[in-house]
Amino acid sequence: NNANANANANAANADNDKDEGLMEKDGDSEGDAARRKEKVRKQKQQQEQDIRKQLLALQTKLGASASASSSTDGDDKSKVATVESTGTGTGTGTGPEKKDLDAVLSAVVTETKASIANQTLTEEEIQLRVEKFNAAPLFMRKLVAKAADMDAAPLALTSDSDSTLEFNTTALVLKMYQDEKMALTNGYGADTGSNANGNSNINANGKTNSNAQLPEFTQEQINEVLDAVKLVPQFVKNMYGDEMKNNDTAIALMMLEEEWQSGNLKLAVMPEITQKMIDEKLQEFKWVPQFLRGDNDTELAIELIKSDFRRSGGKKVLYVKGDSGSGESYASSKDTDGGSTSTPSSSVDTDTSQKGGGGLFGAFNQQQLKSDTDQMVESLFPESTRKEGTEINEGQAVLFMSEVLSKDKIWAPNQAPQKVSGGFLIRGTTRFETGAELIEAIDKNLEKSKLRNQVNCFYVFDPTPVSEEQMSEGERPPVLFLTAPDVVRDPAPIQRSLVSAVAFGTIWYNSLLPFLLNEKYMKMADEQLALADASMSSSVDFLNDLSFPLFVATVGIQAVHEIAHVIAASNNGLNVTIPTLVPSLGTGLTGGITSLQNPPKDKQALFDFAIAGPLAGMGASIALLVLGMTATASMDAATYASLPELPLNMLRQSSLVGGIIDSITPGLLTVPDAALGTKALQEVNIPLHPFAIAGYFGMMVNAANLLPVGRTDGGRMALTLFGRSGTQLVSFLTFVGMFILGLTGSDLLLFFFSFVVFFQSELEIPQRNEVDDMDFSRVLLATATGVLVLLTLIPM
């Protein structure tokens, strides 16, 4: 045996020497020589593996012969030596033959490992590997660098989109080569030769296979990883070499082996799923709507139970079938919240700070606590963009890059998708000059993709904290924000209907109040109430008759506001909900909430929708105010005395309204300087036609809705003018001003401040294209509207 092994080894060395001599041919370039030497090195490794297989086959035959001899002599006390073959059986053997064979086997393995460990790369080979690495896509180079823990320095890019990464590529290539050698030596990994029982740790494939080495993965376990591998783009698989790039199963098996060797994969016995466990899981998610659960609740419960087991213990867990008494069993226990959790009954590494290990995307596992990036993204985008249970996964993000962005080269990613709250950010560059062209191309490719109706893509400014690289370069390129398809607010029709019903009640109350401020009608109402207290016939229906025109005028102004919204939405391809009227005791109505049911295509679409309602409402209010004041000025004394009234102080809260009133009825709101702030002034009421009162309230309400805060019409306009970060600053300053003015006398602004803070504080859902600027005419219109709002809300 020793002679045969040495002969084979000498023959292999002779062949290698012969091949190495070929590298010195005249006319070979340095690159050709490097490639030739790389090929020779691989041939040498293959020959060494062939020698091992021959030795193992020889050992198996020798063991079988010895077993037969031992059986003839009746010797039952011989020691058993087990050799793993291809899985068909074992042989036994004793005596010096076994010892000699173990010695030869151990010597060959030791020599092979030492040979691999001593191998080094020449300068030409290093340069060749660097060139191959730099030829890979940029984001994949970053991915490899991050997985190799070489991303401590910022992976910045220069102005050239094809530039290399700002770290030592040669060092990374050398590190990858060291990992390659380690993998080869682990493949030969018979450090112990045989175990304590004499059982060899080496199988026919040259792999270690004892209890401490690689397990035999079942097809079910391989299929679990195979599902993720199938989502990986082909250009990523090509990096595994020609032999594996088209073999998903081989890649999945390699990933399992890498995770096992790195200690990030754990074996445990998958417990039997009982009906009780299924019932408990069904009880946990019974609140989930049926359309989200699917057709088979039991199957969903089983999958969720398996998922709970897989994620227990702080590591990825690979389960093998077995009895409850063998291996690790898992028990279900109750946590402090009363929920069911699954933990291993034996000791398990529970270090949840581990970031995760192998696999294509293991380096990008996210921390459980919210990062600064997630907090910033959540402040810029509404909660509806991150609905629980609907977020997309990393596989979908990678598939989107492969099936949608790679086609026609509409977007060139420069790194892997970045997980953020609500979805993924995809950084890169586009060949299109405008965001509108980019979104149109994305929608065209997405329509043909498997991800159709599964994702939504937005072209937005970078919503993450400014990096040092961006600060040094002074630019923040836009990114693609990939989310779930549903990013709109839940309609909640029942709650909104109830709110609108209350709003009609406050409008009716506010229509009665101005008539009760007139002493004539107040006296009549008191008389009817006295009759009612005396159990005599009474009626206040006259108040309903008087207040009806004011009620209709108030509702009419809001109707004009909402109709303008609907028209603008239709012109810009937007679907909107039925408006929800918001009540107010001061003005009868705070405004209306009209939510978007699909994202606007760009800034102009959102701007047109936002400004249409308030401008139409303001126009209708001014028209009614002028009409009402003209009627007031032409009335006789008796009719004038029967008009509803508003406090003089309230009318003076608007410079624009006061100016219109003074222009039609000069001096009506004039107050001597000595009377300003006196108690007597607070008790002065001014009779006005109902249309004038409706016009006044309509102007104040529509102007308030144009303030740049939250998800109001003004907030939407600010979003198109200043962007999300700029709108946050403008909103904060507006909130401060509203609060101060509210405390100093404007009940309307104080109430509106409270309404926005509690119900409309979030920004609007993203537009498909938030990068392209609006045309200048809309900027001028927004400026004029802002002046109109200030004139309306600033007191006289």
Side-chain angles (χ1 to χ4, degrees):
N1 290 334
N2 289 336
N4 289 336
N6 291 332
N8 287 329
N10 291 333
N13 291 333
D15 289 341
N16 289 341
D17 293 339
K18 180 179 179 180
D19 288 337
E20 289 175 1
L22 294 176
M23 292 192 305
E24 300 176 0
K25 283 185 175 183
D26 294 336
D28 275 358
S29 64
E30 293 182 355
D32 292 337
R35 294 185 184 91
R36 193 182 300 278
K37 189 169 183 179
E38 179 72 11
K39 180 178 180 181
V40 169
R41 187 180 63 81
K42 292 182 178 179
Q43 289 177 346
K44 183 177 179 180
Q45 294 175 357
Q46 183 63 41
Q47 289 168 351
E48 291 169 347
Q49 292 181 6
D50 291 341
I51 293 173
R52 277 184 52 81
K53 292 181 180 179
Q54 293 176 15
L55 289 171
L56 289 170
L58 191 61
Q59 184 182 13
T60 301
K61 183 182 293 185
L62 182 62
S65 175
S67 176
S69 175
S70 175
S71 175
T72 303
D73 296 339
D75 185 4
D76 296 331
K77 297 182 181 180
S78 61
K79 295 182 179 180
V80 178
T82 303
V83 180
E84 293 182 12
S85 62
T86 58
T88 58
T90 59
T92 58
T94 59
E97 296 89 347
K98 171 66 170 59
K99 294 180 180 180
D100 291 343
L101 185 58
D102 285 344
V104 172
L105 187 61
S106 177
V108 171
V109 170
T110 302
E111 181 180 355
T112 301
K113 294 177 67 174
S115 175
I116 294 174
N118 293 330
Q119 288 179 2
T120 58
L121 294 175
T122 65
E123 292 294 332
E124 294 80 5
E125 290 174 322
I126 294 175
Q127 183 61 31
L128 179 62
R129 292 191 175 215
V130 169
E131 291 175 357
K132 289 183 177 180
F133 179 79
N134 287 334
L138 182 57
F139 82 91
M140 283 304 304
R141 285 179 273 155
K142 285 191 174 185
L143 181 97
V144 172
K146 188 172 185 68
D149 294 329
M150 295 189 67
D151 61 335
L155 303 183
L157 296 176
T158 65
S159 58
D160 184 2
S161 61
D162 294 330
S163 60
T164 56
L165 302 175
E166 289 187 359
F167 62 85
N168 193 330
T169 307
T170 302
L172 175 60
V173 167
L174 292 176
K175 180 175 177 59
M176 293 168 62
Y177 180 64
Q178 293 299 324
D179 292 341
E180 179 183 336
K181 293 199 298 183
M182 185 179 299
L184 287 172
T185 55
N186 286 341
Y188 286 103
D191 289 341
T192 58
S194 301
N195 58 23
N197 297 324
N199 296 328
S200 174
N201 293 330
I202 308 168
N203 59 25
N205 297 321
K207 297 287 185 180
T208 56
N209 194 26
S210 68
N211 290 336
Q213 301 297 330
L214 285 173
E216 293 292 339
F217 300 112
T218 66
Q219 189 61 44
E220 180 181 358
Q221 296 156 3
I222 296 175
N223 289 341
E224 183 178 340
V225 181
L226 190 60
D227 292 338
V229 174
K230 289 179 178 178
L231 295 175
V232 177
Q234 185 60 46
F235 73 88
V236 177
K237 299 176 186 177
N238 292 343
M239 300 183 66
Y240 286 93
D242 294 338
E243 296 181 357
M244 296 181 62
K245 66 180 182 180
N246 295 320
N247 192 336
D248 290 350
T249 302
I251 295 176
L253 186 60
M254 187 194 69
M255 292 169 61
L256 285 171
E257 293 176 354
E258 287 178 350
E259 289 189 333
W260 172 263
Q261 292 172 348
S262 64
N264 295 311
L265 192 65
K266 186 176 178 59
L267 279 183
V269 177
M270 173 66 80
E272 180 182 358
I273 299 178
T274 65
Q275 186 60 45
K276 180 180 179 181
M277 297 165 66
I278 295 175
D279 292 340
E280 289 179 352
K281 185 58 66 176
L282 289 172
Q283 186 69 20
E284 285 182 19
F285 66 80
K286 67 178 182 178
W287 59 272
V288 178
Q290 184 62 45
F291 72 91
L292 290 178
R293 299 204 302 263
D295 299 330
N296 194 327
D297 287 353
T298 301
E299 182 178 345
L300 176 60
I302 292 174
E303 289 301 319
L304 291 175
I305 293 171
K306 290 181 179 180
S307 178
D308 289 344
F309 284 133
R310 292 189 186 102
R311 297 302 172 191
S312 60
K315 286 186 178 182
K316 191 179 294 184
V317 182
L318 183 65
Y319 287 88
V320 294
K321 295 181 179 179
D323 300 329
S324 59
S326 64
E328 284 192 26
S329 61
Y330 277 68
S332 178
S333 61
K334 298 290 182 180
D335 59 17
T336 56
D337 298 328
S340 178
T341 58
S342 299
T343 55
S345 55
S346 60
S347 61
V348 176
D349 180 6
T350 58
D351 181 13
T352 58
S353 65
Q354 180 159 338
K355 293 183 179 180
L360 293 175
F361 310 113
F364 294 96
N365 289 345
Q366 300 296 310
Q367 59 183 14
Q368 294 182 358
L369 297 178
K370 288 183 180 179
S371 63
D372 292 340
T373 297
D374 283 341
Q375 292 178 10
M376 185 168 179
V377 171
E378 290 182 7
S379 70
L380 293 176
F381 293 96
E383 188 177 359
S384 58
T385 60
R386 48 185 181 275
K387 294 179 181 177
E388 186 176 357
T390 65
E391 291 190 0
I392 62 174
N393 55 51
E394 190 169 14
Q396 289 174 304
V398 174
L399 187 61
F400 179 83
M401 294 172 62
S402 174
E403 290 194 351
V404 179
L405 301 183
S406 296
K407 291 183 179 180
D408 305 323
K409 298 180 180 179
I410 61 177
W411 182 268
N414 55 25
Q415 68 176 56
Q418 178 186 357
K419 180 70 178 74
V420 296
S421 184
F424 288 84
L425 297 181
I426 303 177
R427 305 179 190 278
T429 57
T430 179
R431 63 182 177 87
F432 296 106
E433 294 183 0
T434 65
E437 294 175 317
L438 172 63
I439 292 298
E440 182 180 356
I442 288 176
D443 289 344
K444 181 179 178 181
N445 289 347
L446 186 59
E447 187 65 25
K448 304 175 184 177
S449 169
K450 301 175 184 177
L451 295 173
R452 184 178 67 252
N453 301 325
Q454 296 183 30
V455 297
N456 220 334
C457 183
F458 303 92
Y459 188 40
V460 300
F461 289 106
D462 195 339
T464 60
V466 180
S467 65
E468 294 182 0
E469 172 192 351
Q470 293 170 339
M471 292 180 64
S472 61
E473 295 183 357
E475 61 177 9
R476 279 170 63 81
V479 298
L480 294 179
F481 184 26
L482 198 64
T483 71
D486 182 14
V487 296
V488 301
R489 300 174 73 177
D490 294 330
I494 297 178
Q495 296 92 320
R496 294 194 172 197
S497 298
L498 293 175
V499 172
S500 293
V502 174
F504 277 107
T506 57
I507 294 173
W508 173 78
Y509 165 80
N510 198 69
S511 299
L512 289 176
L513 186 60
F515 287 94
L516 294 177
L517 292 177
N518 187 311
E519 293 183 0
K520 172 184 175 181
Y521 297 118
M522 189 62 186
K523 183 177 180 181
M524 293 173 61
D526 288 339
E527 291 175 353
Q528 294 300 318
L529 292 176
L531 292 174
D533 290 341
S535 301
M536 299 176 66
S537 177
S538 62
S539 175
V540 291
D541 290 342
F542 70 93
L543 287 176
N544 292 332
D545 296 336
L546 291 170
S547 63
F548 184 72
L550 179 54
F551 178 87
V552 171
T554 302
V555 173
I557 292 174
Q558 189 62 35
V560 171
H561 177 118
E562 300 302 337
I563 290 173
H565 272 320
V566 172
I567 294 174
S570 177
N571 292 338
N572 289 280
L574 292 173
N575 298 320
V576 295
T577 61
I578 297 175
T580 302
L581 301 182
V582 182
S584 171
L585 294 177
T587 58
L589 194 65
T590 302
I593 299 176
T594 306
S595 299
L596 301 176
Q597 291 187 309
N598 64 301
K601 62 180 180 180
D602 53 26
K603 292 180 178 180
Q604 295 189 165
L606 181 60
F607 179 87
D608 291 348
F609 170 76
I611 200 172
L615 277 188
M618 290 282 284
S621 299
I622 292 175
L624 283 177
L625 178 61
V626 172
L627 182 61
M629 290 309 303
T630 301
T632 301
S634 61
M635 288 180 180
D636 55 47
T639 306
Y640 183 78
S642 300
L643 290 176
E645 300 177 359
L646 285 181
L648 177 60
N649 277 342
M650 179 179 288
L651 293 173
R652 290 178 59 85
Q653 288 183 4
S654 170
S655 296
L656 181 58
V657 171
I660 294 174
I661 292 177
D662 275 343
S663 66
I664 298 174
T665 55
L668 185 62
L669 302 183
T670 303
V671 176
D673 293 340
L676 290 175
T678 62
K679 183 177 180 181
L681 184 63
Q682 297 176 2
E683 296 176 354
V684 174
N685 295 329
I686 304 297
L688 297 173
H689 190 279
F691 284 176
I693 294 176
Y696 166 74
F697 286 137
M699 290 186 66
M700 299 295 288
V701 169
N702 280 279
N705 277 272
L706 283 169
L707 290 172
V709 288
R711 204 183 291 215
T712 64
D713 291 325
R716 291 163 173 161
M717 290 174 57
L719 196 58
T720 65
L721 293 169
F722 309 115
R724 295 190 174 271
S725 298
T727 299
Q728 284 187 321
L729 176 60
V730 173
S731 294
F732 173 76
L733 297 176
T734 306
F735 274 129
V736 173
M738 287 169 57
F739 184 70
I740 294 174
L741 290 176
L743 292 179
T744 56
S746 178
D747 296 336
L748 169 65
L749 290 180
L750 187 60
F751 185 87
F752 190 76
F753 168 85
S754 304
F755 159 69
V756 174
V757 166
F758 288 103
F759 300 105
Q760 292 282 84
S761 59
E762 287 188 322
L763 299 181
E764 187 55 89
I765 61 175
Q767 306 121 59
R768 297 295 309 284
N769 170 24
E770 294 195 353
V771 176
D772 290 352
D773 292 327
M774 290 192 302
D775 58 65
F776 189 64
S777 62
R778 286 178 170 83
V779 176
L780 292 178
L781 178 60
T783 304
T785 303
V787 174
L788 182 65
V789 170
L790 291 176
L791 291 175
T792 303
L793 297 180
I794 293 177
M796 295 180 64

